[in-house]
Amino acid sequence: MDMKYITPAAFFAVVYWIYAFVRPEWCNFHEQYQMFLFGWDYLAGHLSIASGMADYLAEFVVQFFFFPALGAALWAAMLTGLGLLVWRASLALSGNVDSSGLHLALALVPSVLVGFYCGDYNMMLAFPMCLVMALLMFLLYQRLASRRRVYFQIFLIPLFYWLSGYGVFVYAALCAMADARRFWRGWLPGLALLSAYAAFSVLCVVMAGYTVMRQYPFIDLFCGVNFYRDRMVVPFMQHLSAFSVVLMPALIALLGRGGKAVQVVCGALVVSAIPVLMPFSHDKFSYSLMKIDYLVRNQRWKDVISFCQVYLPDDSMAYNGLNLALAKTGQLPDRMFEFPQMGQEGLVGDFQRNAVSCVITGEAFYHLGLINQVLRVFFDSQASIVNCNRSARFTHRIAESYLVTGRYDMAAKHIRMLEKTLFYSAWAREAAGYLYHPDKVASSSRWSQIARHRVQDNMLYTVTDMSDMFLRLHHQSPDNQLALQYAMACDLLNGNLPHFMRAFPLTQPGKNQVSQYSNVPKSYQEAVMYAMVTQSGGNVDLPPFVSQEVRNSFRDFDNMMTMRQQPDKRLFSTYWRYIVSYR
């Protein structure tokens, strides 16, 4: 390998490592909030708006983020390729520039800025794609050797604006510098040419805004329709990254050869910049929620629990994922109060009008068998996507829900959409074979359990106390132990101990007497003891299933409360600590 390519290779490896192993949730997040469809209609829809081709190409790449390892490789290749194109642009601006490792390291500075900017998960990949397109278009333009090539800009600038949007300003600035250096020496002709190209680019935007793009605000027309997920917001980092793509080729063209030591230092600084700056660019709270969502989506229950033991955000979505993971591994009754908890919302949260709050709640409803709630949550979540995209993941769950409940016409509609995707098409073709065949759905390994556990009758119920609804699911399907765990947990989290005591025998099937109860989970023992002691005033014969350890812990806890002391670490993971703080 040529020595000068060591820095780009190391940069690629570092970016790949971050997004494949440290931040795979970033790839998962972007993939689940779009649905790329193969077909002329989808392409034509993108080509009908300015910057649509950049958005289309970006969505084509993002669909491969379905596999985070592949997505990380493509993202690393895009950032590294952006740096190499900046380097090639610097060669075009100055034919005698030295192609040393120093210049390749400096050419990666825009990639570092874009990498820092992408820590904002609302940044769409259409933005870096438009920068890549601008550099490629500029290098193609350089192949025209005639001075008269400037007249081609009358057609190229409007065309490139329509294809890339915001990238036209980068393209125009690079072309102006190249044309001024090659054909009109001096800073005054160069400034005049730059002003002419910039004015013509702005004129193209204004004409589009007053003709075919009248429904879009001018901030979208200037800065990209789908370059940032939250419309009407253009972060400063977008302008800074684009400016660096123009500045760095010009700066590199002016620099001389650097010594070996300078090249090594510059390369090391650029390669280490991404991991060093990452904590400042990534919102720890939001990325923790995204991490839990990613693990829940892939049903990595043990990893969810391990992650929450280290860092658990104070948010209902995080607790939804944690408690679902505990329940799926059968640990919810024993371990739920090792974590602070936050009431029933920690089991199934209320809907919030944003794109990320209810995805895990929908997954919990799906595993429980509340299919109508699954439809409500995923329909509302899809409608709440800020940039009005569809989600392949949400559509997949909606199609499954319709299929399980026997609404085959609606299921077929969503399955047909998924058949036009890349990574969901195999599932869609398989699911199409189950349409209008309820017997096949009931006997399938994929859906038989969900079909059996789902609510069979129409009913109304309150979302303020879901314990009766969970108990109904368990009565309907006694093997639905997940619903029983949720019912008991719901009573404990709401402090509804009378209802808990009435439902408690369900946890010991086949036992007719309290003396026969065995292997009672720790939190159930603590709740029973608390209910009996508070009801009788302290003089009560506790059932034999309450262990001596629990009795001793309660005595210590009661002494600490009497002395108005905070429970120590040993007593923090008890139901008593929770119920006292809850009330």
Side-chain angles (χ1 to χ4, degrees):
M1 177 186 292
D2 194 330
M3 289 297 293
K4 67 174 177 288
Y5 291 114
I6 292 179
T7 298
F11 183 82
F12 175 91
V14 168
V15 174
Y16 174 78
W17 170 73
I18 290 173
Y19 290 98
F21 301 104
V22 181
R23 289 281 185 254
E25 61 271 16
W26 181 84
C27 295
N28 175 79
F29 180 85
H30 281 281
E31 187 276 332
Q32 76 177 12
Y33 288 107
Q34 73 163 46
M35 181 165 59
F36 182 87
L37 303 178
F38 288 92
W40 168 249
D41 291 341
Y42 193 69
L43 174 59
H46 281 74
L47 290 178
S48 65
I49 62 174
S51 74
M53 179 54 74
D55 189 29
Y56 181 85
L57 294 175
E59 289 188 2
F60 176 81
V61 172
V62 169
Q63 70 177 327
F64 294 96
F65 287 16
F66 183 84
F67 301 104
L70 177 58
L74 291 173
W75 176 236
M78 182 181 291
L79 288 183
T80 307
L82 177 64
L84 293 175
L85 288 172
V86 169
W87 177 64
R88 293 295 302 176
S90 70
L91 296 180
L93 290 178
S94 178
N96 60 355
V97 68
D98 178 32
S99 57
S100 66
L102 166 66
H103 299 125
L104 262 177
L106 294 179
L108 287 167
V109 170
S111 300
V112 172
L113 293 175
V114 173
F116 180 84
Y117 179 30
C118 82
D120 183 348
Y121 55 85
N122 284 316
M123 184 210 77
M124 307 289 285
L125 265 71
F127 169 66
M129 182 61 72
C130 91
L131 298 181
V132 171
M133 292 174 63
L135 290 166
L136 287 173
M137 188 70 175
F138 166 69
L139 293 175
L140 288 174
Y141 175 74
Q142 287 301 106
R143 292 180 173 272
L144 300 175
S146 171
R147 176 183 294 206
R148 295 184 178 181
R149 69 183 186 180
V150 295
Y151 298 114
F152 284 88
Q153 299 290 19
I154 299 174
F155 307 100
L156 292 179
I157 287 180
L159 174 63
F160 191 66
Y161 166 69
W162 195 258
L163 294 177
S164 76
Y166 188 77
V168 72
F169 300 109
V170 175
Y171 166 75
L174 290 173
C175 288
M177 289 189 293
D179 288 342
R181 182 200 65 81
R182 192 166 183 179
F183 302 117
W184 293 279
R185 297 287 181 177
W187 66 270
L188 191 60
L191 182 61
L193 196 60
L194 178 63
S195 301
Y197 283 2
F200 189 51
S201 300
V202 171
L203 179 62
C204 292
V205 178
V206 173
M207 291 179 61
Y210 282 106
T211 54
V212 294
M213 298 282 288
R214 296 182 64 180
Q215 70 272 34
Y216 289 89
F218 272 100
I219 190 172
D220 280 354
L221 299 182
F222 275 101
C223 300
V225 175
N226 271 322
F227 286 12
Y228 196 75
R229 190 169 273 108
D230 188 0
R231 294 281 179 83
M232 308 297 291
V233 175
V234 184
F236 170 74
M237 282 303 301
Q238 176 172 320
H239 300 308
L240 180 61
S241 301
F243 179 72
S244 69
V245 174
V246 176
L247 176 64
M248 292 311 298
L251 180 62
I252 292 171
L254 296 175
L255 291 177
R257 179 180 178 85
K260 286 288 185 181
V262 176
Q263 294 178 24
V264 171
V265 170
C266 288
L269 289 175
V270 169
V271 171
S272 62
I274 290 289
V276 169
L277 294 175
M278 187 178 69
F280 303 98
S281 65
H282 291 63
D283 176 12
K284 185 176 181 181
F285 177 82
S286 298
Y287 273 83
S288 296
L289 296 180
M290 291 159 55
K291 179 81 167 185
I292 296 171
D293 175 40
Y294 164 70
L295 296 174
V296 167
R297 179 182 184 180
N298 292 279
Q299 300 189 21
R300 293 167 52 180
W301 309 120
K302 293 182 179 179
D303 290 337
V304 173
I305 299 170
S306 299
F307 178 77
C308 291
Q309 286 177 319
V310 177
Y311 182 76
L312 178 61
D314 186 18
D315 185 272
S316 61
M317 176 177 169
Y319 279 95
N320 286 178
L322 168 63
N323 288 325
L324 177 60
L326 289 171
K328 292 293 288 186
T329 55
Q331 302 180 68
L332 185 63
D334 280 307
R335 300 189 59 190
M336 63 185 298
F337 294 109
E338 291 181 10
F339 305 89
Q341 295 297 338
M342 55 183 306
Q344 181 186 284
E345 285 192 10
L347 290 175
V348 282
D350 292 333
F351 181 76
Q352 302 176 29
R353 293 190 178 277
N354 58 63
V356 297
S357 295
C358 295
V359 179
I360 296 180
T361 304
E363 292 293 332
F365 282 138
Y366 180 81
H367 289 282
L368 286 162
L370 291 171
I371 301 302
N372 284 340
Q373 286 285 60
V374 175
L375 287 170
R376 179 184 70 85
V377 167
F378 280 104
F379 261 121
D380 288 348
S381 295
Q382 183 149 258
S384 298
I385 298 176
V386 179
N387 63 342
C388 301
N389 271 1
R390 284 185 173 272
S391 165
R393 176 185 176 183
F394 298 170
T395 303
H396 170 260
R397 269 289 184 250
I398 291 169
E400 270 190 317
S401 301
Y402 278 132
L403 188 64
V404 169
T405 55
R407 288 183 271 183
Y408 298 116
D409 290 341
M410 294 300 297
K413 172 185 174 182
H414 292 83
I415 287 172
R416 282 195 296 269
M417 281 192 288
L418 293 174
E419 285 177 341
K420 296 180 180 180
T421 64
L422 180 59
F423 295 111
Y424 297 85
S425 57
W427 176 90
R429 288 191 295 271
E430 178 190 354
Y434 288 83
L435 292 172
Y436 308 102
H437 293 90
D439 53 333
K440 291 181 64 176
V441 174
S443 61
S444 71
S445 59
R446 187 192 297 269
W447 296 299
S448 58
Q449 181 174 326
I450 300 298
R452 187 173 65 255
H453 289 175
R454 75 179 183 87
V455 178
Q456 304 294 336
D457 303 319
N458 294 326
M459 65 191 71
L460 294 175
Y461 56 91
T462 175
V463 295
T464 58
D465 189 347
M466 294 282 290
S467 57
D468 283 327
M469 188 66 242
F470 295 140
L471 284 176
R472 184 181 181 90
L473 288 172
H474 177 67
H475 285 310
Q476 175 186 286
S477 303
D479 65 323
N480 191 351
Q481 290 298 310
L482 191 70
L484 180 60
Q485 290 185 65
Y486 266 66
M488 306 304 288
C490 190
D491 283 334
L492 293 181
L493 292 172
N494 287 334
N496 192 356
L497 291 179
H499 191 276
F500 171 84
M501 295 297 288
R502 290 195 298 272
F504 175 65
L506 293 173
T507 64
Q508 298 286 321
K511 307 294 178 62
N512 299 321
Q513 299 179 5
V514 174
S515 60
Q516 297 176 329
Y517 290 179
S518 61
N519 298 322
V520 176
K522 177 175 175 286
S523 65
Y524 295 176
Q525 295 182 43
E526 294 168 349
V528 169
M529 184 175 183
Y530 185 84
M532 295 179 69
V533 169
T534 53
Q535 184 178 5
S536 64
N539 299 318
V540 63
D541 291 330
L542 295 173
F545 60 77
V546 178
S547 68
Q548 189 62 43
E549 181 184 356
V550 171
R551 298 174 193 230
N552 295 338
S553 296
F554 184 78
R555 184 183 64 249
D556 296 341
F557 183 85
D558 185 54
N559 291 336
M560 286 188 174
M561 290 296 100
T562 303
M563 300 173 64
R564 296 187 177 182
Q565 296 178 355
Q566 289 295 325
D568 58 22
K569 185 177 181 181
R570 177 176 61 88
L571 297 176
F572 180 85
S573 59
T574 62
Y575 178 64
W576 314 311
R577 184 274 314 163
Y578 170 80
I579 195 64
V580 169
S581 60
Y582 177 77
R583 290 183 172 178

